[in-house]
């Protein structure tokens, strides 16, 4: 280890690591500031070609990495700036297409120390205290989902997709012939999980509006003799609708079916005393998927799977001599390998733990409430606007709307035009009556008024595009 080591090979850990980081992080932050200013709005202007041209200009159209490097300082400065300039920024209220949250600074800062020390969550000898923090955090999440259960537990996952996969896997481990059943409103990851696990494609249950019908579920379960795992949704991706969880849980119990609730979007509303009544019945589920990279304001990824019976997780236990040899486990070293399908695993629990400790459960709940209140305010603005139509009252923080009189093609062109101009990143949802524009509000500080410019841009763009159609 020596004087001649180039700066690019400096380490983040060790007694000197923090000094090297203190030298390099300002370069990243300068790049972030410069690139954000350069972009000047919610998204980079010009679409895919302009963004690709930005990278080509930086590399001189040569490969990203040549035989010799440019050094840490230059690489960080240039690429941080490029990333900021060419990214959409969910911290701008006009970037509201997806369940894509603006991370809290406290969570991002916590990630620096986690990345520097690089705990890997597959064995205690790689993550002594990180695994203890994860154990506390998952216990807290399990208790949040299952306040009255005897022995609930939770795992950290990469997100709703992995949590849904695990939910179906645990069901299949109890019955290899289990039949997946989900609402027509379910996330595509439920079908993919069935496919990946070698299970039949899910039986699809009709909805009332956007919520699974308990009567239709009962009809489907009657023929399955209890050999079913039902996937209900608490917060659909398209509209934020929450299935009638208590009624569905009763149907599942009556027919001996397992229940997994995909609460990837709505789950952390449990932090709010006011909102958690909307999730009534959630605690009856056998397993629950939650995402702290939506409500939760974590950088990706920060998924969670809670189970009512910790014993269900025994299905994941696995032995690997080098990570959890029997004699090590007997000697008291915690066995972490069965806490995930992955082996090497980032300590995502660490920044979740820092964030929850900083805000408190109620503080987190207040941010969720803020987003839902803002959505109601935006919905009211849309309703009052003569040139806009509101799809319906928001359940959580998703607002669907469209320019009055627009056909589907115009709606989709408005979205692309705003994206291409860098003005706004608005989502889309295809409903039975056509395509709607979607705002998914996850900004914990923006007010309803902060969305007025987005609405006015939609109105102006729709008028412009409609006008150009007439002229042609
Ligand atoms: C976001 C979401 C998912 C997928 O979660 P990822 O974290 O992207 O893997 C699944 N279901 C619902 C309802 C979601 O909102």
């Amino acid at each position: 280890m020596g004087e001649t080591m180039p700066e690019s090979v400096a380490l983040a850990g060790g007694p000197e690591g923090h000094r090297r980081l203190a030298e390099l992080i300002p370069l990243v932050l300068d790049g972030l500031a410069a690139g954000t200013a350069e972009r000047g709005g919610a998204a980079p202007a010009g679409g895919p070609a302009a963004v690709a041209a930005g990278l080509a200009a930086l590399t001189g159209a040569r490969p990203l990495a040549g035989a010799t490097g440019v050094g840490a300082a230059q690489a960080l400065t240039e690429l941080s700036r490029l990333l900021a300039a060419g990214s959409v920024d969910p911290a701008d209220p006009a970037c509201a297409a997806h369940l894509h949250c603006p991370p809290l600074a406290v969570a991002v800062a916590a990630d620096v120390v986690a990345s520097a020390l690089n705990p890997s969550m597959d064995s205690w000898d790689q993550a002594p205290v990180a695994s203890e923090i994860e154990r506390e955090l998952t216990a807290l999440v399990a208790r949040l989902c299952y306040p009255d259960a005897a022995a609930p537990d939770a795992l950290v996952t990469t997100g709703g997709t992995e949590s849904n996969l695990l939910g179906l896997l645990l069901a299949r481990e109890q019955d290899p012939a289990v039949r997946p059943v989900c609402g027509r409103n379910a996330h595509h990851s439920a079908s993919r999980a069935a496919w990946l696990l070698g299970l039949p494609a899910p039986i699809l249950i009709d909805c009332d509006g956007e919520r699974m019908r308990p009567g239709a579920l009962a009809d489907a379960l009657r023929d399955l003799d209890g050999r079913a795992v039902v996937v209900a949704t608490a917060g659909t991706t398209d509209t934020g609708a929450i299935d009638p969880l208590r009624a569905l849980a009763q149907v599942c119990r009556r027919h001996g079916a397992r229940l997994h609730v995909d609460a990837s979007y709505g789950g952390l509303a449990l932090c709010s005393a006011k909102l958690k009544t909307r999730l009534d019945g959630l605690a009856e589920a056998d397993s629950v998927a939650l995402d702290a990279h939506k409500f939760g304001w974590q950088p990706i990824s920060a998924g969670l799977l809670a189970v009512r019976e910790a014993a269900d997780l025994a299905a994941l236990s696995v032995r690997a001599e080098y990570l959890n040899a029997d004699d090590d486990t007997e000697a008291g070293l915690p066995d972490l390998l069965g806490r995930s399908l992955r082996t090497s695993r980032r300590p995502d629990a660490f920044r979740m733990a820092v964030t929850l400790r900083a805000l408190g459960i109620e503080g987190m709940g207040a941010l969720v409430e803020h987003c839902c209140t803002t959505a109601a305010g935006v919905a009211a603005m849309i309703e009052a606007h003569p040139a806009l139509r509101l799809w319906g009252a928001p359940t959580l923080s998703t607002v669907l709307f469209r320019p009055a009189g627009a056909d589907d093609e115009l709606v989709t062109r408005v979205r692309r035009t705003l994206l291409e101009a860098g003005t706004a990143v608005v989502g889309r949802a295809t409903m039975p009556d056509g395509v709607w524009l979607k705002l998914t509000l996850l900004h914990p500080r923006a007010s309803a008024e902060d969305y007025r410019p987005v609405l006015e841009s939609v109105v102006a763009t729709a008028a412009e595009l409609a006008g150009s159609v007439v002229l042609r």
Side-chain angles (χ1 to χ4, degrees):
M1 304 217 283
E3 325 316 290
T4 58
M5 184 162 63
E7 40 141 19
S8 316
V9 191
L11 300 179
E16 292 298 314
H18 68 283
R19 287 188 221 286
R20 300 291 82 82
L21 288 173
E23 289 160 11
L24 296 179
I25 286 178
L27 304 179
V28 172
L29 299 181
D30 288 349
L32 176 61
T36 302
E38 200 175 309
R39 171 174 18 92
V51 168
L55 175 59
L58 191 148
T59 59
R62 283 186 292 274
L64 187 61
T68 55
V70 299
Q74 189 184 332
L76 279 170
T77 302
E78 289 177 346
L79 281 173
S80 299
R81 179 175 182 149
L82 181 84
L83 184 68
S87 288
V88 303
D89 188 357
D92 186 316
C95 178
H98 301 287
L99 286 158
H100 173 208
C101 77
L104 294 174
V106 62
V108 174
D111 234 9
V112 173
V113 61
S115 288
L117 293 163
N118 203 25
S120 184
M121 309 304 288
D122 45 328
S123 63
W124 193 86
D125 61 1
Q126 298 177 87
V129 79
S131 61
E132 198 57 20
I133 291 170
E134 179 176 286
R135 204 180 52 75
E136 283 281 328
L137 176 88
T138 50
L140 195 151
V141 169
R143 200 42 81 193
L144 194 64
C145 292
Y146 297 107
D148 303 319
D153 201 354
L155 301 178
V156 174
T157 70
T158 52
T161 302
E162 187 189 352
S163 298
N164 290 341
L165 174 67
L166 283 169
L168 291 197
L169 173 64
L170 298 181
R172 192 202 62 185
E173 288 304 289
Q174 298 200 343
D175 177 1
V178 76
R179 188 73 205 255
V181 175
C182 59
R184 290 190 186 278
N185 60 356
H187 191 261
H188 64 82
S189 58
S191 303
R192 281 193 128 190
W195 165 71
L196 192 57
L197 292 167
L199 296 170
I203 295 171
L204 297 181
I205 306 300
D206 285 337
C207 292
D208 245 344
E210 293 305 302
R211 306 167 77 219
M212 201 194 318
R213 285 176 45 206
L217 178 64
D219 290 343
L221 293 186
R222 211 161 283 134
D223 303 332
L224 293 175
D225 213 18
R227 312 192 76 175
V229 52
V230 175
V231 179
T233 308
T236 64
T237 312
D238 276 348
T239 70
I242 299 173
D243 282 340
L245 301 177
R246 185 161 295 283
L248 295 176
Q250 278 161 2
V251 171
C252 287
R253 180 163 318 155
R254 201 174 319 127
H255 292 274
R258 235 181 118 86
L259 176 62
H260 171 76
V261 176
D262 179 0
S264 298
Y265 178 8
L268 284 167
L270 288 172
C271 294
S272 153
K274 200 168 99 194
L275 294 175
K276 72 175 170 197
T277 53
R278 298 187 195 177
L279 300 171
D280 178 52
L282 186 80
E284 305 300 315
D286 297 285
S287 53
V288 179
L290 308 96
D291 263 350
H293 58 230
K294 293 170 180 172
F295 286 147
W297 295 279
Q298 298 297 298
I300 297 161
S301 62
L304 296 154
L305 176 82
V307 292
R308 197 178 52 219
E309 304 279 352
D312 287 0
L313 298 179
L316 299 177
S317 91
V318 61
R319 227 4 97 192
E321 281 299 299
Y322 74 110
L323 292 172
N324 62 353
D326 285 333
D327 55 297
D328 274 347
T329 306
E330 274 154 33
L333 291 183
D335 171 5
L336 309 184
L337 202 52
R339 308 289 297 169
S340 180
L341 289 175
R342 290 174 281 161
T343 306
S344 299
R345 186 158 66 81
R346 283 176 54 82
D348 297 321
F350 180 72
R351 53 181 143 71
M352 287 191 248
V354 170
T355 306
L356 270 179
R357 187 164 167 83
L359 270 67
I361 307 282
E362 286 176 18
M364 182 65 80
L367 300 189
V368 179
E369 285 174 21
H370 174 91
C371 292
C372 296
T373 305
T374 305
V378 171
M381 277 162 44
I382 292 168
E383 219 166 10
H385 201 300
L388 293 173
R389 271 178 62 205
L390 178 68
W391 176 78
T395 305
L396 290 169
S397 65
T398 300
V399 186
L400 300 190
F401 68 108
R402 52 192 282 164
D407 61 11
D408 286 354
E409 201 225 328
L410 180 60
V411 170
T412 60
R413 285 175 65 215
V414 166
R415 192 187 92 83
R416 273 193 303 276
T417 303
L418 292 171
L419 179 61
E420 178 115 0
T423 310
V425 191
V426 177
R428 60 188 282 174
T430 299
M431 307 306 291
D433 60 348
V435 182
W436 293 75
L437 296 174
K438 176 171 84 166
L439 294 176
T440 311
L441 307 189
L442 290 184
H443 197 302
R445 305 185 62 154
S447 69
E449 266 317 307
D450 291 327
Y451 294 91
R452 196 177 289 281
V454 180
L455 301 183
E456 292 307 338
S457 304
V458 166
V459 170
T461 305
E464 225 164 84
L465 292 173
S468 71
V469 168
V470 171
L471 287 177
R472 249 188 253 141

